[in-house]
Amino acid sequence: MKQPKVVHIQYKTTAVSPDYRLHKVFLKSGIESNIISLTPNIQGNESVFETGRKGRWIAKVDTIIQSRLVKDFDTKSGSFSYPVIGSDLSKMEQVEDADLIYLHWVLNGFMNLRSIEKLARLKKPIILYMHDTWTIT
């Protein structure tokens, strides 16, 4: 049986982040695995890719817009984020080549609902790791 190709999508990748830990386990198990990150903090790993300057710019602008939209919200119960712009990752080579898309923490202007919808249109299985309640609110 052919091993699936997995792509993890994570806002910030570090040596201890869930996406990187799973990535290492997949590689050790013989599963081809790549990571796409807005801000990777992993040096010298050829299977960790970043969205680049455009992705960081989109996230920065998105964060500014979000902060203005929610400036009057009562934060006693926690913060609320509504990603406005988001990056389209559906045409990245690592996503196109993957058999399975693993979404981790994709906020802070990294992706929005439209970005996730574009991934869903690829008709590939998507696992959404619920690190917090954003996905159900």
Side-chain angles (χ1 to χ4, degrees):
M1 181 176 179
K2 178 187 165 227
Q3 291 286 0
K5 294 179 183 178
V6 178
V7 64
H8 303 266
I9 300 176
Q10 165 84 8
Y11 171 77
K12 183 175 185 176
T13 299
T14 67
V16 295
S17 59
D19 63 316
Y20 194 66
R21 290 191 313 246
L22 280 172
H23 168 71
K24 290 190 319 184
V25 169
F26 286 150
L27 291 175
K28 191 174 182 177
S29 300
I31 297 171
E32 188 175 327
S33 177
N34 290 300
I35 297 174
I36 297 174
S37 181
L38 182 69
T39 56
N41 192 10
I42 305 289
Q43 303 298 320
N45 190 315
E46 59 190 40
S47 57
V48 177
F49 301 88
E50 66 179 296
T51 58
R53 181 177 286 151
K54 181 180 177 184
R56 288 189 304 273
W57 182 83
I58 288 171
K60 185 175 185 174
V61 171
D62 194 281
T63 301
I64 292 167
I65 293 169
Q66 281 188 63
S67 66
R68 291 190 177 143
L69 288 174
V70 299
K71 69 178 170 132
D72 296 326
F73 284 19
D74 182 4
T75 58
K76 288 178 190 166
S77 298
S79 63
F80 177 80
S81 65
Y82 180 78
V84 181
I85 306 171
S87 293
D88 177 10
L89 306 178
S90 65
K91 294 184 177 25
M92 287 190 71
E93 180 182 343
Q94 295 77 19
V95 172
E96 289 180 340
D97 288 347
D99 299 312
L100 175 72
I101 300 169
Y102 212 125
L103 294 179
H104 292 270
W105 204 76
V106 294
L107 297 177
N108 280 7
F110 183 28
M111 295 183 77
N112 65 1
L113 297 176
R114 210 170 300 115
S115 306
I116 295 170
E117 180 183 14
K118 287 180 180 181
L119 292 177
R121 287 185 183 160
L122 297 173
K123 304 229 184 282
K124 297 179 182 198
I126 297 176
I127 296 173
L128 182 58
Y129 192 116
M130 294 177 65
H131 294 278
D132 58 25
T133 59
W134 177 79
T135 53
I136 60 172
T137 57

